[in-house]
Amino acid sequence: MSAIVGINYADGRAVEGKHIVKMLDVLAHRGNDDCGTWYSDGMAFGQRLLRTTLESVREELPGQETSLTIVADARIDNRAELIARLELSADCADGQLILRAYRRWGESCVDWLVGDFAFAIWDTATRQLFCARDHFGVKPFYYYHGAETLVFASEIKALFCVPTVPRRLNEIRVQEFITSEFYDKTNTIYQQIWRLPPAHTLTLNSEGLKIERYWQLDPSYELKLDSDAEYAARFRAIFTEAVRCRLRSSFPVGSMLSGGMDSSAIAATASKILAEERPEQPLHTFSAVFEGVPESDESFYIGAVTQDPGIKPHYIYGDRHSPLVDIERIISYQDEPQFAANLYLNWIAYQLARQQGVRVVLDGFDGDSAVSHGFGYMRELARGGKWLALIPELRGYCKNFQTAFFPLFWSYIEQYGVRPLMAKSKLTRYIYWRYRGLADRLRAFLTRNQPKLSSLSLIAPELLQRTNFRQYRQQLAAQNFIATPNERAEHFKAIDVGSIVTTLELLDRTAAPFDVEVRYPFWDKRLVEFCLSLPANQKMRQGLTRMIMRQGLAGILPPEIQQRGDKGNLSMAFEQGLRTHEPDFGAALLTDDASLIADYINLDITRAAYHSYSRGQNTPVDVMTIWKSLNLALWFKNNRDRLEP
């Protein structure tokens, strides 16, 4: 992990050194192993370094070669290939590797890079700034671009060290936080401050600023192999390499282990690799267990993985911790409101990692989306009228997820059989929609006493109207949720969403204070491309999801996990933890803290949720309503001096 910062003045005037130094001071928590600055006419760079690999010992801060200078927060995974092509020494630092690639291929260098990276290169000969971010946005990159100034940094808070950077609240982003719908990959909580989207480059020269996409997944390509065994072997090889390259560390390595399939696959694979390549080094695992909440406790599945003698387990006893533990300190590191209810478990895990001297932690975040459950396969069969093939899939699904078969089967018949048939003439369309209207009215009558809150209900009505957020949301939703013809298109849409990069940035900021770099094997470009290209029946079989992973990791995953179809419900532990440790949870929202969010939150709904909670009559929606309102209030309290009126 590194912190990278930079300031560019279009008129070529000298950058004040105090601004770069202050930016680096603000980001001291991102690395104290080394620090460096560099200045030229109209351009200045700064970098902090947290050493995690052997090669990082040779990292120059910033790095230079002829007219080129680089700052980089990077881990390059196809090092051997690039070193051979570029004729570099085997121990060269990753930043130097990128710089040499840029000298050889120019802006096309990003087409040759595999790994996680955010970097900036300044060419004094052409006076051009070139920046890039990795394929899924693991490494953060934020920037402000004004009439004469561009400022960039690994965290937003550093940008404010430059006095000309505005600090105006982006009310659209506030509403995205309230609804937990992060469609946009570019905006932030501040107006005019942007994130460089994943798989994009930024070029600044005399012609102006240019943002371009350099890579995109291809949802039209399907990989065709001869047998299930070949698909499984290919997955195993690619996944193993995705884990192996993320084990590159000169410090002990750890892995988050929840007991679910994703984290278990990583831990089991990592332990196997270490046993073969570094037998003296155990894999540290970090797991949350809940002795008093069986619905949330995954101890049985965690234990199936930690039986491996190459694993050194560490446990977080979640019942003993409040979900609000260190909440104000956690929020102080977050540049945007914190939206993840269980982030406190990551916070504690990263503390444990530092105590064990672990600087690299592997994480199975959202492997569901990267690999795909394959649910779209059932819709694909129904659209194609393949009812006989659909029935065993639905039966298997219902068995694995404890769902009634006939209501689900009828929903497919109605959606993909009856509706298209009835749409063929005006008369049948009229009959169908009359039937649907009567059915909807009957359903509304039967559920008339149940709460009906949309995701927009928690937004203050005046804010919703003033910002046209409803229309903004509809436009972005239309772009993100267009009709999909098959499972692969659904898989692509699940990957191509803004919530993934938002969460990766959240975890990055949470781990940084503990000298921990989080790495994500499931978000390896090669693995995601492979999984997207699979035929639908390699993702789901007999209603069992992620079939490619179950078959590909046979003999590595413990059988108990390889065959499981469910996972623990952490929301139960979250609510019980609040009731046990925070008896006054949300009470401040009825008094002083309410004024902080009155312009943004519908306080009538928050208060109603609190009263239901205090009487023990709440729903899960009530708990999350209070949680979001409280977090937003704490964020405003922490940042009110920073915001412009």
Side-chain angles (χ1 to χ4, degrees), residues 437-580:
L438 289 170
D440 289 344
R441 284 195 291 275
L442 177 61
R443 189 179 300 111
F445 175 77
L446 294 173
T447 60
R448 63 191 182 279
N449 294 322
Q450 296 179 12
K452 301 178 181 64
L453 292 178
S454 75
S455 60
L456 299 178
S457 301
L458 189 54
I459 301 173
E462 299 81 4
L463 175 64
L464 195 62
Q465 183 175 2
R466 182 175 72 250
T467 58
N468 292 319
F469 181 72
R470 193 185 303 274
Q471 293 81 356
Y472 164 85
R473 178 174 174 262
Q474 288 173 347
Q475 291 172 357
L476 286 177
Q479 296 171 16
N480 283 273
F481 295 102
I482 59 174
T484 51
N486 53 39
E487 204 290 325
R488 185 172 300 105
E490 291 193 27
H491 188 177
F492 174 76
K493 283 297 177 185
I495 296 169
D496 193 33
V497 292
S499 58
I500 291 174
V501 66
T502 302
T503 306
L504 290 171
E505 292 169 349
L506 174 74
L507 294 173
D508 176 89
R509 292 190 296 266
T510 306
F514 301 106
D515 294 337
V516 167
E517 177 178 289
V518 190
R519 299 176 181 175
Y520 306 91
F522 281 103
W523 294 104
D524 185 290
K525 168 182 176 286
R526 299 160 295 189
L527 181 65
V528 175
E529 286 177 330
F530 170 78
C531 291
L532 182 64
S533 73
L534 291 171
N537 65 1
Q538 293 295 322
K539 301 174 187 178
M540 174 176 276
R541 188 82 54 81
Q542 300 292 307
L544 197 59
T545 62
R546 292 187 286 176
M547 183 55 66
I548 186 65
M549 194 167 160
R550 299 177 195 273
Q551 294 181 332
L553 298 181
I556 295 179
L557 273 176
E560 302 93 322
I561 294 170
Q562 186 188 16
Q563 297 302 319
R564 74 178 299 196
D566 61 349
K567 61 169 58 177
N569 182 0
L570 283 179
S571 64
M572 303 292 289
F574 178 74
E575 182 175 339
Q576 183 164 313
L578 290 173
R579 290 199 176 280
T580 301

Side-chain angles (χ1 to χ4, degrees), residues 408-428:
L408 182 62
F409 182 53
W410 171 248
S411 71
Y412 276 85
I413 291 287
E414 183 183 29
Q415 175 79 13
Y416 300 104
V418 175
R419 185 179 294 184
L421 183 64
M422 300 299 283
K424 290 186 176 181
S425 72
K426 288 184 179 179
L427 177 60
T428 54

Side-chain angles (χ1 to χ4, degrees), residues 141 281 291 346 350 421 426 505:
F141 190 103
Q281 182 177 336
E291 298 167 316
N346 295 78
Y350 301 149
L421 183 64
K426 288 184 179 179
E505 292 169 349

